[in-house]
Amino acid sequence: MKNLNCNSGFVWLMTMSILFLIARSQLTEDFYSTSCPNLRNIVLKQVLNAIKTETRMAASLLRLHFHDCFVNGCDASILLDGNDGEKFAFPNINSARGFEVVDAIKTAVESSCSGVVSCADILAIAAQDSVLLSGGPSWKVLLGRRDGLVANQSGANTNLPGPTESVANITAKFLAVGLNLTDVVSLSGAHTIGSARCAVFSNRLFNFSGTNGPDETLLDQAMVSDLQAQCPANGDGNKTTALDRNSVDLFDNHYFQNLVNGKGLLESDQFLYSSDEAVSTTRTLVEIYSNDSRIFVNDFVRSMIKMGNTNPLTGESGEIRKNCRVVNS
């Protein structure tokens, strides 16, 4: 019986690996080379315009791709409107943004090559452009995804990593979509750009529960004082501050240097270095990335490509939405 269980597990792993490779093989760099040859330039222009208007939008577009791929795979389900949609899931409501930018990209793409390019592929390209325009690396985005037909609000509530979760919980959510511990740390480095709302981290600043005061063990106390002034206890919880306060909106490895110095804004980020479980899991990678930006960038690119290949719809599955907010009638 013991051998049978081992063999069954091996067969399952092999099957999943084969399915992943098959799906990935259907995504190619030149998928739109004849059907929409100017696609990359069209998307880049729209993303550039959006970031010129609001620098923070780069992080928002990157986050949309991330939050899409963790629910139903990379199928643009996060873009679907409706009260039961992923937009209204707890991790996304009042948080996920950039939908109007995606609309603008889709409109521009449709005017050049109608009914050809999926919203899921637009999210993948926009994420890459956002990193590049923030001073980060470029990579060859594999394309050929199709759009999903349903949103999954309960899946978004369950599957998306949260700002107060432990390393173990976040790692489990990554493993569930085929990503490993290296992917956890490297993709967390996306927090080198963007902002977080006061409501997301205010639990670290004040004694709300009556039992614990400000986070004196994991968060730099000078940073606590500064954040208390920016985010007072009875202030506007939707006010934002930069995730990486050392190099705002610049894609670099300062995020990891912040963690080493106890300056990770989100509790889940600081856990990657300072928690007890980090000692045997994530701390070493944080230190490596903090000391060598090239290693971080290389791992980040690999992880982004890997994440972008999470259960894509290809071939005849799904559809190519005309409007990213609704399924075709």
Side-chain angles (χ1 to χ4, degrees):
M1 181 63 71
K2 185 175 182 179
N3 289 336
L4 179 60
N5 289 338
C6 290
N7 289 338
S8 299
F10 176 75
V11 170
W12 182 84
L13 287 173
M14 288 299 294
T15 301
M16 293 301 293
S17 298
I18 291 170
L19 290 174
F20 172 78
L21 290 172
I22 290 173
R24 180 169 182 172
S25 68
Q26 294 174 328
L27 301 181
T28 62
E29 297 172 23
D30 59 353
F31 189 84
Y32 299 108
S33 60
T34 56
S35 60
C36 195
N38 201 34
L39 173 62
R40 296 303 302 270
N41 289 333
I42 295 172
V43 177
L44 179 62
K45 180 180 179 181
Q46 294 298 320
V47 174
L48 179 59
N49 288 341
I51 293 175
K52 282 182 177 179
T53 301
E54 182 189 8
T55 309
R56 180 188 171 199
M57 189 54 66
S60 299
L61 293 173
L62 176 58
R63 189 167 182 260
L64 277 183
H65 181 45
F66 181 97
H67 279 215
D68 179 46
C69 290
F70 268 68
V71 184
N72 290 359
C74 306
D75 68 343
S77 56
I78 193 173
L79 302 178
L80 291 171
D81 281 341
N83 292 334
D84 58 347
E86 292 165 32
K87 292 178 180 179
F88 290 93
F90 182 74
N92 291 326
I93 192 168
N94 297 323
S95 176
R97 55 198 301 277
F99 299 108
E100 294 80 7
V101 175
V102 176
D103 292 339
I105 298 172
K106 180 65 171 174
T107 298
V109 170
E110 286 292 306
S111 68
S112 179
C113 31
S114 180
V116 172
V117 180
S118 69
C119 300
D121 278 345
I122 285 175
L123 285 180
I125 298 171
Q128 191 276 321
D129 288 343
S130 295
V131 171
L132 177 65
L133 293 171
S134 300
S138 174
W139 61 90
K140 295 178 180 179
V141 180
L142 298 180
L143 302 168
R145 301 167 190 80
R146 289 169 65 84
D147 298 321
L149 303 176
V150 294
N152 184 357
Q153 187 175 116
S154 62
N157 281 323
T158 302
N159 301 346
L160 291 171
T164 63
E165 286 195 88
S166 67
V167 172
N169 285 353
I170 290 176
T171 300
K173 292 182 177 183
F174 273 66
L175 290 173
V177 295
L179 300 174
N180 59 31
L181 199 62
T182 298
D183 302 317
V184 170
V185 183
S186 63
L187 290 176
S188 295
H191 285 173
T192 184
I193 58 176
S195 303
R197 295 179 298 130
C198 292
V200 173
F201 57 84
S202 60
N203 64 297
R204 309 185 70 193
L205 308 180
F206 302 99
N207 187 358
F208 291 123
S209 67
T211 57
N212 297 307
D215 190 340
E216 297 178 354
T217 59
L218 300 183
L219 188 59
D220 176 80
Q221 289 308 291
M223 185 172 168
V224 168
S225 299
D226 188 25
L227 290 172
Q228 286 175 336
Q230 291 187 43
C231 302
N234 297 315
D236 181 3
N238 288 318
K239 185 179 179 181
T240 62
T241 190
L243 286 162
D244 179 358
R245 295 149 61 83
N246 288 339
S247 55
V248 180
D249 297 319
L250 179 63
F251 193 97
D252 54 28
N253 69 332
H254 286 176
Y255 161 84
F256 297 103
Q257 295 173 8
N258 289 341
L259 300 189
V260 172
N261 293 319
K263 296 182 178 181
L265 183 64
L266 303 184
E267 197 169 18
S268 57
D269 285 338
Q270 194 61 52
F271 281 158
L272 295 175
Y273 182 79
S274 301
S275 64
D276 291 339
E277 59 186 332
V279 175
S280 60
T281 55
T282 54
R283 180 179 294 179
T284 298
L285 268 176
V286 170
E287 291 173 339
I288 290 172
Y289 293 159
S290 70
N291 290 320
D292 195 325
S293 61
R294 292 173 299 177
I295 296 177
F296 160 54
V297 164
N298 289 337
D299 282 357
F300 179 82
V301 166
R302 281 192 289 267
S303 294
M304 282 297 296
I305 294 172
K306 187 176 176 183
M307 184 191 75
N309 290 317
T310 302
N311 298 324
L313 297 174
T314 58
E316 298 301 316
S317 300
E319 65 182 10
I320 304 298
R321 282 187 222 142
K322 298 175 183 177
N323 178 340
C324 290
R325 293 176 179 265
V326 295
V327 298
N328 298 336
S329 58

